[in-house]
Each structure stands twice: as C-alpha cells, then as structure tokens.
Amino acid sequence: MSKLLEARALCAFYGATQVLFGFDLSIEEGGITTLLGANGAGKTTTLRALCGMVRTTGDIRFDGKAIRGRATEDIVRLGIAHVPQGRGTFSRQTVEENLEIGAMTRSGRAAIDADIERVYGYFPRLMERRRQQAGTLSGGEQQMLAVGRAMMLRPRLMLLDEPSFGLAPLIVEELFGILRTLNQTEKVSMLVVEQNAALALDLAEEAYLIETGELVTSGPARQLRDDENIRRAYLGY
Amino acid sequence: MELFLHQVLAGLATGGIYACMALAVVMIYQAIDHLNFAQGEMAMFSTFIAWQLIQWGLPYWLAFGATIAISFVAGVAIERVVLKPLHNAPVLSHVVAFIALLAILNSAAGFIWDYTIKSFPTPFGNGPLFEQGLMSKHDGGMIAVTLLMLAFLYLFFRHTRIGLAMRAAAANPESARLAGIRVGWMTALGWGMAAAIGSVAGMLIAPVVFLEPNMMLSILLYGFAGAVVGGLTSPGGAVLGGFLVGIVENLAGTYIPVVGREMKLTIALFIIVAVLCVKPSGLFGRPIVTRV
Ligand SMILES: Nc1ncnc2c1ncn2[C@@H]1O[C@H](COP(=O)(O)OP(=O)(O)O)[C@@H](O)[C@H]1O
Ligand SMILES: [Mg+2]
C-alpha cells in the first residue's frame, strides 16, 4: 500500500507557544488511521496543522505534493475533507444548504444533486430534516450532517475530529458503521481522532498515540489494543 | 386622520432614502460582521463620480451603470488593500480604519469637487406622484429601485451558489474554509456589493438632499437605525426598518411638539438605542435557534 499523506517532523504553534514537537505521521491510501491521546495531547492541533489552519513547520505531503504552508482552501480542494471538532455546522442554513456548501468547490449540478441523494441514502434522518435550520438538529444529527458535508467534497481523505463526542452509544455505533462503509465502498481514506480509544482501535488499521505533542507509539491498531501497558497507561481501559 | 395619513406617506418618501442606505449597511454587516462607518462617505464619493460623468456628458443611465461598476470594483479594492491586512487585527483597528477611510474620502471629495452644494438630476422627474403632492415622482422611483434591489439581493442570496458561499463565509468562516470556500474573496465581494448598493443609494438620495461631501453624515445614521430596527441580518428587514424610521420620524416631527426639525436626528439615535434595549436582534432579525 502507498502513503496518501505523509508528515515529517511536524511542529505546530499557537503564537509563540509550541504545541506539537516534531513527530512523523503517515496515512495509508484506502485505510483508516486513528490518532489517540488524552485531552490536550494535540490531536486537534495535528488535524489543523495538516489543513494549514495553524502555523506549522516540517514537511507535509499529500499524494506526493508538498502542502505545508498552503492556504486551507487550497488544501481542501486537493481532496481533504476535515470534519472539525464541534462539527462546524452552518446553523442558520438549512440541512440541504449545508450539504450544498460542502460541494462548493465542485461543478456539475447533476452530480451534486446525485451526491446529496447519496448522503440522504446513508443518513435518512437528514432527508427528513432537509428544509430545517441545521442549528435545530440534535448532536448526533449534526455529526451526521458534518460527515455528509465532508462527503459532498468527494474527498480522498477525511479527517474526523472526535466524531463520537457527546453522542449516545447507539448513535455512535450507527455513525461508525457508516464510516466503515464509506471507507470500504467509497474508498475514502480516513484519519480519525478519538478519545474513545476502544472504539477507534476497533475501526482503524493503524494507530498513533501522542502525548503533549510528542509521539508515544505507533503501529497496527491491533498491536496497541493488545498492549496491556499502553492500554493501562494511556488508553484507560 | 388626513394629516396622519399624509405624514405617513411623507414618511414613506423619506423612509425610502433610509431603506436604501439600510440595505447597503446590512449588506456589509453580512460580509464583515460589523458596521462600516465609512459607508456613507463611500456612497457620497460614488455619487460625485456619477455627477462628474454626467458633467462630462454621459447620459444619466449610462453614468448610473458606470458608477455602480466603478463602485463595485473600488469596494473590492478597498477590502483587498486596506482591510485584508487587518484581517486578524482586533475590532478597534477596523473601526480606526473605517474612520480614516471616512475622513480621507470626505476631504478628497472636498478637495476634488469642493464643498459647494451641487444639484443632482433625477431620472424620474420632479413632479408629484399623486394629485395631493407629498410624494414626488422621484420618491416613488427611489422606493421602486430600492424594492428592486431588495428582490435582486433576495434572489442572489437564496438561489445562487455564490450567494450561499457568501452566507457560509460570513456565518462561519473557519468551517467555510474547510469547505474550500475562499473566504477572503467572499468578504471582498461583499464589500464590492455594499459599495455598489451604496452608490445607488447615493445617486437616489442626492436629488433630494443635494450633493456635497457631508450629504451622507446624518443619512448614514438613519441607515444604521433602519438596519438595526430590521435586525442587521435581513435585507428585507432593513428596508422595512428604513421605512419605519422615516414614518416614525415624520410622525414624531408632527405630533410631538418638542421634536421639530432640529431634534429629528435624535429620533434616529433614540430608535437605535430603544430597539437594542428591547429587542437586540431587531424586529425582523432571525433569532438563531440552537440546540446543544
Ligand atoms: N487556540 C489555541 N491557542 C493556544 N493554545 C491552544 C489553542 N488551542 C489549543 N491549544 C493548546 O494546545 C494543546 C493541544 O490542544 P488540542 O490540539 O486541542 O488537544 P486535543 O485535541 O488533543 O485535546 C493544549 O495544551 C491546548 O491548551
Ligand atoms: Mg481536540
């Protein structure tokens, strides 16, 4: 398998404060990779760094192209869809408008309409609420909308920041099932940030564990799951 | 009762001016999330450009169209050159930039065209619209153009992709970027459109108040009042708010003895403060429904 995204010596800064301290990260084409770590470890910052949303040093390559230092809009247009922490809902716009916004970089009315229907196929509840203001949706529905919006980009890579956050277990199960389907049938590669390590290690093939902006360990998800010391010390289960 | 109706009608006429300006105010507020204090001066400067074009012999409607185009480009340029560098600066820096822009445009207009009052032509004619007077043909034309612009904006924002992209960029810039929307250009586009709408407002207002560098000072305040009444987020609300302010102003001038002509401007300020106290989201502003 080839690497879809590769970051080397990744550092990130908020003003003068350094938050990431130079680690390497790579994402397999077609695979699901998870990035784990405690609250404040730098997971969100890592995703933001990959999308050019914070000041970053190091080298980031997407499909072989150097993307570090490029504008977020341009990185997104290469086919990286970022489902941000907090879901990034356009709360005043309708559900359908949110999906339209997700396809803003594309042209071709028919293909966009077909993709909206495709999203509704995955998330029938969004279809029921298509004319509703997105701010009125429940947390789970908003998370589905965020994933749907990301799908509208027809991305090659999806970055998901704590998609399970604040959702009821049943909804989480449904959502992760759909992520798995998207990965398998639509060939979307994924980097999933999670605090719920058990869940993420179940979904992903590869895993990275970071602590205060530094890499603790990485490897096949199965290996991390089976490592009692890691599990006790970092994953808390 | 007759006096009352007359005053309402006369209020609608002046309200048309405010509605027009309020529309420009809301446009920019949507794009940048705060008020642009230089907006009146931008409209004034555009109107001078139109006046100059007409002086040079251009037919009215050609000058009208050219002024809209020039103002649009200038609005985009102002955003790119003056405000883009301030992109991450605190709001106060923006306010300072607006005030500087206001002062520069005001004195530049005074320098180029001097401070003498100039008359500006109306394409609608000066006669009364109805038998009884009160509303002139020009007032009627102004209201019609304002409503036309409103319809155009409605269609643009509700039914075009670029309109949706602009709304997305204004509502949630970070999320919009993640959808690949070029937020900076959307803001610039908002400035361009606000400048264009402002130029129309200026050209329609000038025949009534006469053209001079300070013509927009009080009108911008009324425009703000109209926009605040309308809720700052809704173009339709802004237009309604503008008309309401015009009517209230006229009625107050007639029925409240102390108000008179000199105190009229205070009405605008009073309306702004009153609305902000009682209903901060404005009469027609959509309150956001959020569930967490
Ligand atoms: N906007 C910001 N400005 C300054 N520091 C920040 C900002 N956002 C996050 N941080 C800091 O960066 C570190 C990593 O944060 P984050 O990436 O959000 O962690 P995680 O997503 O793993 O919980 C934390 O110490 C946090 O306090
Ligand atoms: Mg986080």
Side-chain angles (χ1 to χ4, degrees):
Chain A
M1 266 211 221
S2 64
K3 308 284 187 208
L4 181 59
L5 184 134
E6 275 192 289
R8 288 224 181 76
L10 188 64
C11 297
F13 307 81
Y14 290 108
T17 319
Q18 186 166 2
V19 173
L20 301 183
F21 296 91
F23 61 87
D24 296 355
L25 175 95
S26 64
I27 299 168
E28 298 284 341
E29 171 107 59
I32 301 183
T33 305
T34 184
L35 177 63
L36 305 173
N39 204 358
K43 305 180 297 297
T44 296
T45 306
T46 304
L47 294 196
R48 294 172 65 87
L50 297 179
C51 290
M53 298 166 79
V54 286
R55 190 162 70 80
T56 307
T57 65
D59 182 45
I60 307 172
R61 281 172 192 279
F62 179 69
D63 205 20
K65 283 188 283 283
I67 58 168
R68 195 191 60 80
R70 288 206 203 175
T72 302
E73 299 94 299
D74 296 324
I75 294 174
V76 168
R77 281 161 188 259
L78 293 174
I80 301 181
H82 183 159
V83 180
Q85 186 168 287
R87 304 166 190 137
T89 310
F90 296 91
S91 43
R92 287 203 184 192
Q93 276 65 45
T94 64
V95 167
E96 192 144 312
E97 282 175 337
N98 268 263
L99 296 178
E100 289 273 355
I101 290 168
M104 205 51 89
T105 59
R106 297 170 47 190
S107 56
R109 191 67 253 168
I112 292 172
D113 285 341
D115 278 357
I116 290 180
E117 293 310 317
R118 196 170 59 103
V119 170
Y120 289 152
Y122 281 105
F123 304 110
R125 239 164 319 160
L126 295 183
M127 162 104 106
E128 287 163 30
R129 307 194 185 293
R130 62 201 295 175
R131 306 260 168 257
Q132 204 167 309
Q133 254 189 67
T136 64
L137 299 186
S138 73
E141 288 162 347
Q142 287 197 30
Q143 189 65 60
M144 291 174 184
L145 182 58
V147 172
R149 208 171 53 236
M151 284 168 67
M152 292 302 296
L153 188 74
R154 286 233 164 224
R156 296 181 60 193
L157 174 64
M158 244 189 224
L159 311 175
L160 297 127
D161 200 339
E162 303 210 29
S164 77
F165 186 81
L167 305 188
L170 245 115
I171 307 277
V172 172
E173 203 174 300
E174 184 187 343
L175 184 68
F176 273 59
I178 288 169
L179 291 181
R180 196 172 276 127
T181 311
L182 280 178
N183 171 251
Q184 279 160 10
T185 62
E186 319 258 349
K187 305 287 172 243
V188 183
S189 314
M190 293 180 184
L191 176 60
V192 183
V193 160
E194 262 302 334
Q195 279 211 55
N196 186 339
L199 192 69
L201 288 172
D202 222 33
L203 177 75
E205 292 104 39
E206 296 289 318
Y208 287 79
L209 174 62
I210 60 172
E211 191 186 34
T212 52
E214 286 182 274
L215 190 66
V216 177
T217 182
S218 69
R222 202 174 345 99
Q223 195 174 308
L224 261 73
R225 202 170 41 205
D226 296 341
D227 188 325
E228 194 118 344
N229 294 331
I230 296 265
R231 233 171 55 192
R232 288 237 179 82
Y234 297 101
L235 305 181
Y237 74 99
Chain B
M1 195 58 201
E2 175 127 352
L3 177 68
F4 179 80
L5 281 180
H6 278 189
Q7 288 305 319
V8 168
L9 210 59
L12 272 181
T14 27
I17 299 180
Y18 308 152
C20 215
M21 203 57 217
L23 201 54
V25 167
V26 163
M27 186 65 227
I28 199 82
Y29 184 79
Q30 291 286 60
I32 63 176
D33 219 39
H34 31 90
L35 297 172
N36 172 10
F37 300 110
Q39 194 147 28
E41 307 310 281
M42 285 166 63
M44 173 275 296
F45 205 89
S46 295
T47 311
F48 266 111
I49 291 174
W51 180 83
Q52 187 65 69
L53 292 176
I54 292 169
Q55 289 295 303
W56 283 338
L58 253 64
Y60 181 90
W61 288 111
L62 201 60
F64 188 87
T67 301
I68 293 176
I70 293 169
S71 304
F72 177 83
V73 173
V76 171
I78 288 175
E79 199 283 332
R80 290 284 92 178
V81 176
V82 182
L83 286 130
K84 189 181 166 216
L86 293 178
H87 164 63
N88 281 322
V91 177
L92 203 56
S93 314
H94 287 250
V95 173
V96 171
F98 292 153
I99 291 171
L101 203 58
L102 185 155
I104 290 168
L105 288 174
N106 190 289
S107 36
F111 178 76
I112 302 171
W113 292 290
D114 75 59
Y115 287 87
T116 55
I117 289 176
K118 296 172 176 59
S119 70
F120 194 88
T122 166
F124 307 111
N126 282 314
L129 186 61
F130 307 112
E131 301 270 305
Q132 305 92 325
L134 285 174
M135 194 181 274
S136 70
K137 287 208 173 87
H138 177 79
D139 292 332
M142 181 162 60
I143 291 172
V145 171
T146 304
L147 295 179
L148 224 80
M149 282 200 296
L150 182 62
F152 167 79
L153 285 180
Y154 178 83
L155 292 176
F156 175 80
F157 279 113
R158 290 291 140 190
H159 294 287
T160 70
R161 293 182 83 205
I162 185 104
L164 179 60
M166 282 179 74
R167 283 192 284 145
N172 194 341
E174 180 146 290
S175 209
R177 264 187 209 102
L178 290 179
I181 295 170
R182 298 192 193 283
V183 171
W185 278 106
M186 293 302 124
T187 309
L189 193 57
W191 270 82
M193 287 178 64
I197 296 168
S199 76
V200 173
M203 289 185 281
L204 294 178
I205 292 166
V208 183
V209 302
F210 296 107
L211 179 58
E212 50 108 4
N214 295 320
M215 69 181 258
M216 295 304 269
L217 282 182
S218 60
I219 288 169
L220 181 63
L221 204 57
Y222 283 113
F224 280 160
V228 167
V229 168
L232 278 171
T233 52
S234 128
V239 169
L240 263 171
F243 283 125
L244 268 180
V245 170
I247 292 169
V248 168
E249 179 199 44
N250 256 281
L251 291 181
T254 313
Y255 291 105
I256 308 176
V258 287
V259 174
R261 270 206 79 76
E262 301 74 32
M263 292 288 284
K264 265 189 168 182
L265 196 56
T266 4
I267 301 269
L269 289 166
F270 178 77
I271 291 174
I272 292 180
V273 174
V275 169
L276 286 179
C277 288
V278 178
K279 203 160 180 297
S281 62
L283 299 185
F284 309 100
R286 236 184 329 175
I288 317 162
V289 210
T290 328
R291 197 158 113 189
V292 255

